[in-house]
Amino acid sequence: MDSKESGIDWGGAPQCAKVVCESSKLERTIDWKQGLAIAIGVPLLILPSIGYFASYLWSFAIIVWGLSVFQGFMQNLAYGELATAFPNASGLPGFAQNVFKGKGKDKYDKGKLIGGFSAWSYWFAWNPVLAIFAILVGSYLYGLIPALAGYSEYSLSLAAGIVIFGALILINSRGLSSGATMGYLLAFLSLAPLALITLSPFISGDFVLSNITGSWLPPDWAWDFHHILILLGIFAMAQWSACAWETAAIYGPEYKKPGSDVPKALFSCGIVCFFTYVLVQASVTGTLGISGLLDQPISPMLPLAQAAMGPIGAYISIIMLIAAMVLIIQTAYLGSARAMHSLATEGNLPKVFAKINKNGTPVFAMIVIGIFNLALISLGTPTAILAASAIGYVCANGISLFAYVKAKNDPRLAALDRPFKAPTGWKNVALMFGLFNLPLCLIGVVYLNSLEIGWTSTWVGFIVLALYVPLWYYSQHENDVRKDPQSQTV
């Protein structure tokens, strides 16, 4: 909104004396290295799933992680091209909205609804990461500091959420480059110890290859319909972690040179993810064995740290994990805030979420997301939250890949300049992975949820996604009023 529309004269460029100003245009302030620093939290999303995947797949979980990162490369080649075709779009949320929206003649455009739903699904995929890892931070603090034993894990998680969310709002309100600086710091604090713990068993000789080769799959595993659905559900949840480095593209409107910065940030993060996911799962499985891994399903890195560093290893690893969790929370916080900003600027959410402060940060969206996640913490079950958000992620990826196919087939969109291009015929690859997400992975994760925690998380996922419809219709009414103020009734 410019000064004329808002009725406020900012004297040229927005001075924004208020906490949130009326401008909605993000500023190009970062390069690919800073984008990578923010997205580098993604490899650490393996932490809550190491034991969970092994409980179903044993050593085959290593293969699943490798295949999932490979899936990320296949999908992100398409997203990298879309990022340069739409340099002002905020990653997956922006791509789908730009491709599917109509010509603006209809008040309720179905294509715009589809694109907006994809962005909303993406928001729901990243948003609960804040609550999930705030709960885990509270849990680790509960076990680390004996003096906190008198408090409940919920109160510690809530306190951790308030402190972390509040600090991240203050830090990132200064601009995305401030978030990148924190990313550099936390990447060192978390990735360096993670690499040390992961690689130490290979050097010390504690890693035993037969622990992997002798236990590829559980004895009762059969390639029947039941187990294939479980595998599809695991792939859906693995994608939530191993393909999430696409978040590097969400800062498209804030890269100085999006045509080159986006692909560099994307695939640099992808390479880090591949080695992280495969090596971490292999190291834990080869060192502890399946029985030792299943004895520590929530925190299998702790006994690995003890073996690598001695008695103090557990404490060091907990501190490392907490730093890693803060980094993951920041990655998710910035991604979900940009998703809301993108939705609002495209007219698919109320315009208030498009507001940014003088440093180009959607602070209002960050505040709302923080409050929402403080409410989610009350659920107290990270697995249920993750299972629900994975439903949103497969929807976002599926629709975004279909958007790539449409962008290649539509003559108007196909004519757009693309400084980075995926290989010839990639629309067929995108279509294949789009169908893998929708419907196959969606069916799989719903089935897996029903086995693990009943239907609660599935209903939560579908209800949150469905909430988008009334919000979208309200936004279209709001857009119509802005076009014709006289149509507003008093």
Side-chain angles (χ1 to χ4, degrees):
M1 179 183 291
D2 60 26
S3 59
K4 292 180 180 179
E5 290 176 317
S6 64
I8 301 173
D9 183 7
W10 296 104
Q15 299 299 311
C16 301
K18 298 184 289 185
V19 174
V20 178
C21 73
E22 298 296 322
S23 176
S24 62
K25 186 177 181 180
L26 299 174
E27 299 179 3
R28 297 193 180 278
T29 59
I30 64 170
D31 57 24
W32 73 270
K33 295 177 183 178
Q34 292 170 305
L36 172 63
I38 298 171
I40 204 66
V42 169
L44 300 166
L45 287 172
I46 190 176
L47 295 177
S49 302
I50 297 172
Y52 180 80
F53 284 11
S55 68
Y56 276 101
L57 301 175
W58 286 20
S59 299
F60 193 73
I62 301 169
I63 305 298
V64 168
W65 284 122
L67 290 174
S68 294
V69 179
F70 172 76
Q71 177 187 349
F73 275 101
M74 298 299 99
Q75 295 178 171
N76 287 341
L77 279 168
Y79 299 153
E81 181 175 330
L82 287 174
T84 60
F86 301 100
N88 293 318
S90 294
L92 269 66
F95 303 155
Q97 290 179 97
N98 275 275
V99 171
F100 284 111
K101 69 180 178 182
K103 298 180 180 180
K105 296 181 179 180
D106 298 326
K107 180 178 178 180
Y108 301 111
D109 181 82
K110 293 180 180 179
K112 189 175 181 180
L113 175 63
I114 294 172
F117 178 75
S118 176
W120 179 257
S121 299
Y122 185 86
W123 171 83
F124 181 55
W126 272 107
N127 185 35
V129 173
L130 281 70
I132 290 170
F133 283 93
I135 292 172
L136 292 178
V137 167
S139 178
Y140 276 102
L141 288 174
Y142 185 83
L144 177 65
I145 305 174
L148 298 178
Y151 299 91
S152 67
E153 290 190 37
Y154 165 73
S155 61
L156 291 176
S157 298
L158 186 63
I162 292 172
V163 172
I164 295 171
F165 302 165
L168 289 178
I169 289 174
L170 290 176
I171 292 171
N172 288 283
S173 66
R174 299 173 59 186
L176 195 57
S177 59
S178 296
T181 301
M182 185 173 183
Y184 286 132
L185 175 62
L186 291 179
F188 174 77
L189 291 176
S190 56
L191 288 182
L194 181 64
L196 176 63
I197 295 171
T198 300
L199 296 176
S200 290
F202 294 95
I203 300 172
S204 65
D206 292 328
F207 176 83
V208 180
L209 184 61
S210 60
N211 284 339
I212 296 175
T213 57
S215 55
W216 276 115
L217 284 166
D220 61 346
W221 183 271
W223 294 99
D224 54 16
F225 188 66
H226 165 70
H227 285 89
I228 289 174
L229 284 177
I230 289 177
L231 187 59
L232 287 171
I234 292 290
F235 267 110
M237 297 187 74
Q239 179 182 209
W240 184 87
S241 304
C243 299
W245 42 282
E246 46 70 25
T247 190
I250 202 168
Y251 312 111
E254 294 163 273
Y255 285 112
K256 296 175 183 177
K257 300 177 181 178
S260 59
D261 285 336
V262 172
K264 287 180 181 179
L266 266 178
F267 298 115
S268 297
C269 192
I271 292 171
V272 174
C273 282
F274 177 78
F275 287 102
T276 301
Y277 284 102
V278 173
L279 279 176
V280 168
Q281 190 76 40
S283 179
V284 173
T285 306
T287 304
L288 301 181
I290 294 300
S291 59
L293 181 51
L294 297 182
D295 286 340
Q296 291 280 350
I298 304 300
S299 52
M301 293 298 288
L302 297 183
L304 198 69
Q306 290 173 332
M309 300 182 189
I312 65 170
Y315 290 97
I316 294 176
S317 64
I318 288 176
I319 294 171
M320 175 271 292
L321 290 174
I322 291 175
M325 291 172 195
V326 175
L327 177 57
I328 294 169
I329 289 172
Q330 172 175 256
T331 302
Y333 214 159
L334 294 175
S336 57
R338 264 68 184 175
M340 291 195 84
H341 175 272
S342 176
L343 277 160
T345 55
E346 291 292 338
N348 289 316
L349 272 187
K351 60 182 180 180
V352 65
F353 294 106
K355 294 181 178 181
I356 59 175
N357 70 356
K358 64 181 180 181
N359 296 313
T361 301
V363 175
F364 182 79
M366 294 187 74
I367 293 173
V368 172
I369 290 168
I371 294 172
F372 178 72
N373 275 273
L374 289 177
L376 283 181
I377 290 173
S378 64
L379 296 178
T381 54
T383 303
I385 300 172
L386 190 156
S389 65
I391 294 174
Y393 198 58
V394 296
C395 291
N397 273 286
I399 298 173
S400 295
L401 290 166
F402 297 148
Y404 177 78
V405 175
K406 185 178 187 298
K408 299 293 282 187
N409 290 334
D410 187 316
R412 179 179 60 87
L413 298 175
L416 295 174
D417 182 43
R418 289 168 163 81
F420 171 82
K421 291 184 179 180
T424 304
W426 209 252
K427 66 179 182 181
N428 298 318
V429 177
L431 178 61
M432 179 181 69
F433 280 101
L435 293 173
F436 180 67
N437 278 280
L438 291 174
L440 296 182
C441 282
L442 178 60
I443 294 172
V445 74
V446 169
Y447 183 75
L448 185 61
N449 290 350
S450 69
L451 296 178
E452 279 287 317
I453 47 181
W455 289 93
T456 301
S457 62
T458 296
W459 280 115
V460 169
F462 286 148
I463 289 172
V464 171
L465 293 178
L467 285 175
Y468 172 69
V469 176
L471 284 171
W472 185 80
Y473 274 100
Y474 171 80
S475 300
Q476 305 321 296
H477 170 71
E478 185 180 60
N479 296 338
D480 193 53
V481 169
R482 290 180 67 191
K483 291 178 182 177
D484 182 13
Q486 292 183 350
S487 67
Q488 185 175 13
T489 58
V490 179

